[in-house]
Structure formats: C-alpha cells, structure tokens
mmCIF file of all heavy atoms in Angstrom:
data_model
loop_
_atom_site.group_PDB
_atom_site.id
_atom_site.type_symbol
_atom_site.label_atom_id
_atom_site.label_comp_id
_atom_site.label_asym_id
_atom_site.label_seq_id
_atom_site.Cartn_x
_atom_site.Cartn_y
_atom_site.Cartn_z
ATOM 1 N N MET R 75 83.169 73.438 27.375
ATOM 2 C CA MET R 75 82.974 74.310 28.499
ATOM 3 C C MET R 75 82.698 75.719 28.004
ATOM 4 O O MET R 75 81.548 76.076 27.762
ATOM 5 C CB MET R 75 84.132 74.237 29.450
ATOM 6 C CG MET R 75 84.308 72.792 30.030
ATOM 7 S SD MET R 75 85.694 72.568 31.143
ATOM 8 C CE MET R 75 87.048 73.340 30.315
ATOM 9 N N ALA R 76 83.731 76.532 27.807
ATOM 10 C CA ALA R 76 83.547 77.900 27.351
ATOM 11 C C ALA R 76 83.158 77.906 25.870
ATOM 12 O O ALA R 76 83.599 77.102 25.077
ATOM 13 C CB ALA R 76 84.811 78.744 27.571
ATOM 14 N N HIS R 77 82.331 78.871 25.528
ATOM 15 C CA HIS R 77 81.886 79.074 24.137
ATOM 16 C C HIS R 77 82.196 80.550 23.820
ATOM 17 O O HIS R 77 81.535 81.455 24.329
ATOM 18 C CB HIS R 77 80.403 78.799 23.996
ATOM 19 C CG HIS R 77 80.078 77.373 24.193
ATOM 20 N ND1 HIS R 77 80.091 76.783 25.404
ATOM 21 C CD2 HIS R 77 79.743 76.413 23.304
ATOM 22 C CE1 HIS R 77 79.779 75.475 25.304
ATOM 23 N NE2 HIS R 77 79.557 75.252 23.990
ATOM 24 N N MET R 78 83.195 80.788 22.982
ATOM 25 C CA MET R 78 83.707 82.144 22.728
ATOM 26 C C MET R 78 83.781 82.441 21.253
ATOM 27 O O MET R 78 83.979 81.559 20.431
ATOM 28 C CB MET R 78 85.095 82.289 23.355
ATOM 29 C CG MET R 78 85.198 81.900 24.818
ATOM 30 S SD MET R 78 84.133 82.805 25.941
ATOM 31 C CE MET R 78 84.791 84.441 25.805
ATOM 32 N N GLY R 79 83.624 83.718 20.910
ATOM 33 C CA GLY R 79 83.759 84.143 19.552
ATOM 34 C C GLY R 79 82.448 84.557 18.889
ATOM 35 O O GLY R 79 81.394 84.647 19.538
ATOM 36 N N ALA R 80 82.544 84.831 17.619
ATOM 37 C CA ALA R 80 81.416 85.383 16.837
ATOM 38 C C ALA R 80 80.142 84.553 16.912
ATOM 39 O O ALA R 80 79.055 85.088 17.082
ATOM 40 C CB ALA R 80 81.860 85.571 15.374
ATOM 41 N N ARG R 81 80.252 83.247 16.803
ATOM 42 C CA ARG R 81 79.088 82.386 16.862
ATOM 43 C C ARG R 81 78.294 82.526 18.151
ATOM 44 O O ARG R 81 77.076 82.315 18.175
ATOM 45 C CB ARG R 81 79.561 80.933 16.684
ATOM 46 C CG ARG R 81 78.422 79.873 16.801
ATOM 47 C CD ARG R 81 79.002 78.503 16.674
ATOM 48 N NE ARG R 81 79.379 78.227 15.295
ATOM 49 C CZ ARG R 81 79.213 77.066 14.691
ATOM 50 N NH1 ARG R 81 78.680 76.055 15.358
ATOM 51 N NH2 ARG R 81 79.607 76.870 13.473
ATOM 52 N N TYR R 82 78.998 82.937 19.209
ATOM 53 C CA TYR R 82 78.384 83.019 20.543
ATOM 54 C C TYR R 82 78.157 84.446 21.020
ATOM 55 O O TYR R 82 77.945 84.710 22.192
ATOM 56 C CB TYR R 82 79.259 82.214 21.551
ATOM 57 C CG TYR R 82 79.484 80.828 21.056
ATOM 58 C CD1 TYR R 82 80.729 80.418 20.610
ATOM 59 C CD2 TYR R 82 78.425 79.896 21.007
ATOM 60 C CE1 TYR R 82 80.923 79.112 20.114
ATOM 61 C CE2 TYR R 82 78.617 78.636 20.490
ATOM 62 C CZ TYR R 82 79.890 78.245 20.056
ATOM 63 O OH TYR R 82 80.077 76.999 19.583
ATOM 64 N N GLY R 83 78.187 85.387 20.062
ATOM 65 C CA GLY R 83 77.843 86.780 20.379
ATOM 66 C C GLY R 83 78.971 87.646 20.838
ATOM 67 O O GLY R 83 78.716 88.763 21.228
ATOM 68 N N ASP R 84 80.216 87.160 20.791
ATOM 69 C CA ASP R 84 81.347 87.958 21.229
ATOM 70 C C ASP R 84 81.782 88.837 20.041
ATOM 71 O O ASP R 84 81.576 88.470 18.881
ATOM 72 C CB ASP R 84 82.497 87.081 21.677
ATOM 73 C CG ASP R 84 82.165 86.326 22.935
ATOM 74 O OD1 ASP R 84 81.694 86.969 23.914
ATOM 75 O OD2 ASP R 84 82.326 85.084 22.974
ATOM 76 N N GLU R 85 82.363 89.960 20.337
ATOM 77 C CA GLU R 85 82.791 90.887 19.315
ATOM 78 C C GLU R 85 84.286 90.714 18.946
ATOM 79 O O GLU R 85 84.900 91.655 18.465
ATOM 80 C CB GLU R 85 82.528 92.332 19.755
ATOM 81 C CG GLU R 85 81.046 92.598 19.941
ATOM 82 C CD GLU R 85 80.733 94.050 20.292
ATOM 83 O OE1 GLU R 85 81.664 94.865 20.246
ATOM 84 O OE2 GLU R 85 79.592 94.269 20.605
ATOM 85 N N PHE R 86 84.815 89.562 19.184
ATOM 86 C CA PHE R 86 86.239 89.303 18.806
ATOM 87 C C PHE R 86 86.318 88.003 18.050
ATOM 88 O O PHE R 86 85.496 87.106 18.178
ATOM 89 C CB PHE R 86 87.151 89.325 20.032
ATOM 90 C CG PHE R 86 86.930 88.200 21.002
ATOM 91 C CD1 PHE R 86 87.623 86.997 20.906
ATOM 92 C CD2 PHE R 86 85.998 88.312 22.036
ATOM 93 C CE1 PHE R 86 87.451 85.960 21.767
ATOM 94 C CE2 PHE R 86 85.800 87.296 22.925
ATOM 95 C CZ PHE R 86 86.495 86.096 22.789
ATOM 96 N N HIS R 87 87.377 87.932 17.215
ATOM 97 C CA HIS R 87 87.681 86.748 16.482
ATOM 98 C C HIS R 87 88.450 85.798 17.412
ATOM 99 O O HIS R 87 89.511 86.165 17.865
ATOM 100 C CB HIS R 87 88.553 87.159 15.272
ATOM 101 C CG HIS R 87 88.985 86.001 14.439
ATOM 102 N ND1 HIS R 87 88.303 85.583 13.323
ATOM 103 C CD2 HIS R 87 90.042 85.133 14.549
ATOM 104 C CE1 HIS R 87 88.924 84.551 12.795
ATOM 105 N NE2 HIS R 87 89.976 84.241 13.482
ATOM 106 N N ALA R 88 87.875 84.653 17.715
ATOM 107 C CA ALA R 88 88.520 83.724 18.635
ATOM 108 C C ALA R 88 89.341 82.672 17.876
ATOM 109 O O ALA R 88 88.847 82.069 16.917
ATOM 110 C CB ALA R 88 87.459 83.028 19.477
ATOM 111 N N GLU R 89 90.568 82.508 18.313
ATOM 112 C CA GLU R 89 91.437 81.474 17.732
ATOM 113 C C GLU R 89 91.982 80.639 18.840
ATOM 114 O O GLU R 89 92.568 81.142 19.814
ATOM 115 C CB GLU R 89 92.579 82.125 16.937
ATOM 116 C CG GLU R 89 93.393 81.138 16.170
ATOM 117 C CD GLU R 89 94.435 81.726 15.275
ATOM 118 O OE1 GLU R 89 94.295 82.930 14.950
ATOM 119 O OE2 GLU R 89 95.398 81.055 14.909
ATOM 120 N N ALA R 90 91.807 79.329 18.765
ATOM 121 C CA ALA R 90 92.200 78.408 19.838
ATOM 122 C C ALA R 90 93.627 78.680 20.298
ATOM 123 O O ALA R 90 94.549 78.749 19.474
ATOM 124 C CB ALA R 90 92.036 76.963 19.376
ATOM 125 N N ASN R 91 93.806 78.804 21.604
ATOM 126 C CA ASN R 91 95.070 78.933 22.272
ATOM 127 C C ASN R 91 95.867 80.193 21.861
ATOM 128 O O ASN R 91 97.072 80.250 22.076
ATOM 129 C CB ASN R 91 95.922 77.701 22.036
ATOM 130 C CG ASN R 91 95.233 76.437 22.584
ATOM 131 O OD1 ASN R 91 94.865 76.386 23.745
ATOM 132 N ND2 ASN R 91 95.015 75.475 21.706
ATOM 133 N N GLN R 92 95.186 81.191 21.287
ATOM 134 C CA GLN R 92 95.840 82.397 20.872
ATOM 135 C C GLN R 92 95.094 83.604 21.440
ATOM 136 O O GLN R 92 93.898 83.574 21.648
ATOM 137 C CB GLN R 92 95.832 82.510 19.331
ATOM 138 C CG GLN R 92 96.503 81.363 18.588
ATOM 139 C CD GLN R 92 97.952 81.240 18.900
ATOM 140 O OE1 GLN R 92 98.656 82.219 18.887
ATOM 141 N NE2 GLN R 92 98.412 80.029 19.164
ATOM 142 N N GLY R 93 95.817 84.701 21.668
ATOM 143 C CA GLY R 93 95.261 85.975 22.059
ATOM 144 C C GLY R 93 94.353 85.842 23.275
ATOM 145 O O GLY R 93 94.763 85.322 24.306
ATOM 146 N N GLN R 94 93.106 86.341 23.156
ATOM 147 C CA GLN R 94 92.167 86.338 24.303
ATOM 148 C C GLN R 94 91.869 84.918 24.778
ATOM 149 O O GLN R 94 91.463 84.742 25.938
ATOM 150 C CB GLN R 94 90.849 87.005 23.904
ATOM 151 C CG GLN R 94 91.021 88.518 23.767
ATOM 152 C CD GLN R 94 89.718 89.191 23.408
ATOM 153 O OE1 GLN R 94 89.403 89.356 22.239
ATOM 154 N NE2 GLN R 94 88.940 89.542 24.403
ATOM 155 N N MET R 95 92.055 83.920 23.975
ATOM 156 C CA MET R 95 91.773 82.572 24.394
ATOM 157 C C MET R 95 92.767 82.060 25.448
ATOM 158 O O MET R 95 92.490 81.119 26.151
ATOM 159 C CB MET R 95 91.708 81.630 23.183
ATOM 160 C CG MET R 95 90.489 81.877 22.305
ATOM 161 S SD MET R 95 88.895 81.956 23.177
ATOM 162 C CE MET R 95 88.823 80.290 23.872
ATOM 163 N N GLN R 96 93.919 82.702 25.555
ATOM 164 C CA GLN R 96 94.879 82.345 26.612
ATOM 165 C C GLN R 96 94.344 82.798 27.956
ATOM 166 O O GLN R 96 94.473 82.088 28.948
ATOM 167 C CB GLN R 96 96.270 82.960 26.335
ATOM 168 C CG GLN R 96 96.906 82.303 25.135
ATOM 169 C CD GLN R 96 98.232 82.992 24.739
ATOM 170 O OE1 GLN R 96 98.452 84.199 24.954
ATOM 171 N NE2 GLN R 96 99.119 82.209 24.144
ATOM 172 N N GLU R 97 93.677 83.961 27.973
ATOM 173 C CA GLU R 97 93.009 84.406 29.216
ATOM 174 C C GLU R 97 91.878 83.489 29.580
ATOM 175 O O GLU R 97 91.620 83.149 30.738
ATOM 176 C CB GLU R 97 92.502 85.827 29.099
ATOM 177 C CG GLU R 97 91.818 86.335 30.347
ATOM 178 C CD GLU R 97 91.131 87.687 30.173
ATOM 179 O OE1 GLU R 97 91.585 88.463 29.297
ATOM 180 O OE2 GLU R 97 90.184 87.915 30.934
ATOM 181 N N VAL R 98 91.097 83.045 28.547
ATOM 182 C CA VAL R 98 90.026 82.129 28.769
ATOM 183 C C VAL R 98 90.548 80.835 29.360
ATOM 184 O O VAL R 98 89.952 80.307 30.298
ATOM 185 C CB VAL R 98 89.219 81.866 27.455
ATOM 186 C CG1 VAL R 98 88.212 80.727 27.608
ATOM 187 C CG2 VAL R 98 88.527 83.139 27.004
ATOM 188 N N ALA R 99 91.671 80.365 28.887
ATOM 189 C CA ALA R 99 92.226 79.121 29.413
ATOM 190 C C ALA R 99 92.571 79.294 30.901
ATOM 191 O O ALA R 99 92.333 78.378 31.690
ATOM 192 C CB ALA R 99 93.506 78.749 28.619
ATOM 193 N N ALA R 100 93.166 80.430 31.266
ATOM 194 C CA ALA R 100 93.452 80.662 32.706
ATOM 195 C C ALA R 100 92.227 80.682 33.527
ATOM 196 O O ALA R 100 92.188 80.133 34.656
ATOM 197 C CB ALA R 100 94.254 81.976 32.825
ATOM 198 N N ARG R 101 91.153 81.313 33.019
ATOM 199 C CA ARG R 101 89.895 81.354 33.782
ATOM 200 C C ARG R 101 89.235 79.968 33.855
ATOM 201 O O ARG R 101 88.669 79.570 34.891
ATOM 202 C CB ARG R 101 88.994 82.400 33.142
ATOM 203 C CG ARG R 101 89.522 83.824 33.369
ATOM 204 C CD ARG R 101 88.665 84.872 32.728
ATOM 205 N NE ARG R 101 87.322 84.866 33.333
ATOM 206 C CZ ARG R 101 86.254 85.362 32.724
ATOM 207 N NH1 ARG R 101 86.346 85.905 31.517
ATOM 208 N NH2 ARG R 101 85.105 85.334 33.332
ATOM 209 N N ASP R 102 89.271 79.198 32.744
ATOM 210 C CA ASP R 102 88.808 77.860 32.751
ATOM 211 C C ASP R 102 89.544 77.043 33.800
ATOM 212 O O ASP R 102 88.907 76.291 34.591
ATOM 213 C CB ASP R 102 89.011 77.164 31.418
ATOM 214 C CG ASP R 102 87.979 77.490 30.357
ATOM 215 O OD1 ASP R 102 86.926 78.071 30.668
ATOM 216 O OD2 ASP R 102 88.208 77.148 29.158
ATOM 217 N N ARG R 103 90.834 77.172 33.831
ATOM 218 C CA ARG R 103 91.651 76.393 34.777
ATOM 219 C C ARG R 103 91.337 76.734 36.235
ATOM 220 O O ARG R 103 91.359 75.874 37.110
ATOM 221 C CB ARG R 103 93.135 76.523 34.478
ATOM 222 C CG ARG R 103 93.485 75.759 33.190
ATOM 223 C CD ARG R 103 94.994 75.811 32.886
ATOM 224 N NE ARG R 103 95.277 75.146 31.611
ATOM 225 C CZ ARG R 103 95.454 73.833 31.473
ATOM 226 N NH1 ARG R 103 95.342 73.018 32.507
ATOM 227 N NH2 ARG R 103 95.756 73.332 30.275
ATOM 228 N N ALA R 104 91.025 78.006 36.501
ATOM 229 C CA ALA R 104 90.608 78.393 37.848
ATOM 230 C C ALA R 104 89.332 77.672 38.252
ATOM 231 O O ALA R 104 89.210 77.190 39.366
ATOM 232 C CB ALA R 104 90.464 79.885 37.928
ATOM 233 N N ARG R 105 88.388 77.584 37.313
ATOM 234 C CA ARG R 105 87.147 76.850 37.606
ATOM 235 C C ARG R 105 87.425 75.374 37.785
ATOM 236 O O ARG R 105 86.890 74.722 38.705
ATOM 237 C CB ARG R 105 86.126 77.054 36.469
ATOM 238 C CG ARG R 105 85.620 78.483 36.371
ATOM 239 C CD ARG R 105 84.614 78.601 35.262
ATOM 240 N NE ARG R 105 84.149 79.960 35.064
ATOM 241 C CZ ARG R 105 83.118 80.307 34.377
ATOM 242 N NH1 ARG R 105 82.394 79.409 33.737
ATOM 243 N NH2 ARG R 105 82.782 81.601 34.264
ATOM 244 N N ILE R 106 88.268 74.812 36.920
ATOM 245 C CA ILE R 106 88.642 73.391 37.033
ATOM 246 C C ILE R 106 89.287 73.126 38.374
ATOM 247 O O ILE R 106 89.033 72.071 38.982
ATOM 248 C CB ILE R 106 89.538 72.980 35.827
ATOM 249 C CG1 ILE R 106 88.702 72.972 34.548
ATOM 250 C CG2 ILE R 106 90.171 71.660 36.090
ATOM 251 C CD1 ILE R 106 89.546 72.927 33.272
ATOM 252 N N GLU R 107 90.143 74.007 38.826
ATOM 253 C CA GLU R 107 90.793 73.820 40.133
ATOM 254 C C GLU R 107 89.796 73.755 41.249
ATOM 255 O O GLU R 107 89.872 72.924 42.139
ATOM 256 C CB GLU R 107 91.783 74.943 40.363
ATOM 257 C CG GLU R 107 92.589 74.777 41.629
ATOM 258 C CD GLU R 107 93.660 75.833 41.791
ATOM 259 O OE1 GLU R 107 94.260 76.235 40.791
ATOM 260 O OE2 GLU R 107 93.847 76.236 42.948
ATOM 261 N N CYS R 108 88.756 74.601 41.192
ATOM 262 C CA CYS R 108 87.719 74.566 42.225
ATOM 263 C C CYS R 108 86.954 73.220 42.123
ATOM 264 O O CYS R 108 86.656 72.638 43.172
ATOM 265 C CB CYS R 108 86.727 75.725 42.031
ATOM 266 S SG CYS R 108 87.354 77.301 42.590
ATOM 267 N N LEU R 109 86.634 72.775 40.947
ATOM 268 C CA LEU R 109 85.993 71.500 40.748
ATOM 269 C C LEU R 109 86.826 70.371 41.362
ATOM 270 O O LEU R 109 86.313 69.528 42.113
ATOM 271 C CB LEU R 109 85.721 71.173 39.295
ATOM 272 C CG LEU R 109 84.701 72.040 38.555
ATOM 273 C CD1 LEU R 109 84.760 71.762 37.088
ATOM 274 C CD2 LEU R 109 83.305 71.790 39.146
ATOM 275 N N ALA R 110 88.116 70.379 41.108
ATOM 276 C CA ALA R 110 89.006 69.357 41.575
ATOM 277 C C ALA R 110 89.086 69.335 43.120
ATOM 278 O O ALA R 110 89.197 68.253 43.702
ATOM 279 C CB ALA R 110 90.402 69.526 40.983
ATOM 280 N N LYS R 111 89.010 70.491 43.723
ATOM 281 C CA LYS R 111 89.082 70.583 45.177
ATOM 282 C C LYS R 111 87.732 70.435 45.880
ATOM 283 O O LYS R 111 87.688 70.435 47.104
ATOM 284 C CB LYS R 111 89.711 71.925 45.555
ATOM 285 C CG LYS R 111 91.143 72.074 45.165
ATOM 286 C CD LYS R 111 91.648 73.442 45.580
ATOM 287 C CE LYS R 111 93.121 73.623 45.233
ATOM 288 N NZ LYS R 111 93.595 75.000 45.607
ATOM 289 N N GLY R 112 86.673 70.319 45.070
ATOM 290 C CA GLY R 112 85.353 70.195 45.673
ATOM 291 C C GLY R 112 84.822 71.483 46.239
ATOM 292 O O GLY R 112 83.964 71.491 47.104
ATOM 293 N N GLU R 113 85.302 72.595 45.730
ATOM 294 C CA GLU R 113 84.919 73.915 46.261
ATOM 295 C C GLU R 113 83.707 74.484 45.484
ATOM 296 O O GLU R 113 83.840 75.254 44.540
ATOM 297 C CB GLU R 113 86.096 74.879 46.140
ATOM 298 C CG GLU R 113 87.267 74.480 46.988
ATOM 299 C CD GLU R 113 88.489 75.380 46.797
ATOM 300 O OE1 GLU R 113 88.484 76.269 45.950
ATOM 301 O OE2 GLU R 113 89.463 75.165 47.518
#
C-alpha cells in the first residue's frame, strides 16, 4: 500500500514500525477502516 522513504522520494530514513512509520500505520488503518465499511 504505502511506499515511504528514500527510494520513493521522501527526505527521511524509513524503518518499518518505527518513528514516522507509526504515523503512516495510523493513516493506513484509517483508509482500511473506510474500505471495511464500504465508505
């Protein structure tokens, strides 16, 4: 789903489930919740 970090043009070092990726997880889950509800 999300593509984050240097390879994708971001200016931060992305580490799975750490730092900024925790915010990404929360945003991913908000999208997933909409998908699950058919919204």
Side-chain angles (χ1 to χ4, degrees):
M75 298 179 312
H77 293 73
M78 308 301 295
R81 177 183 286 218
Y82 306 108
D84 295 309
E85 295 183 10
F86 66 92
H87 178 95
E89 187 174 340
N91 301 304
Q92 303 296 315
Q94 288 181 269
M95 291 309 299
Q96 292 175 331
E97 178 187 336
V98 170
R101 293 178 62 201
D102 278 349
R103 288 183 184 277
R105 292 180 184 194
I106 290 167
E107 185 175 322
C108 285
L109 291 171
K111 292 179 179 179
E113 295 175 356

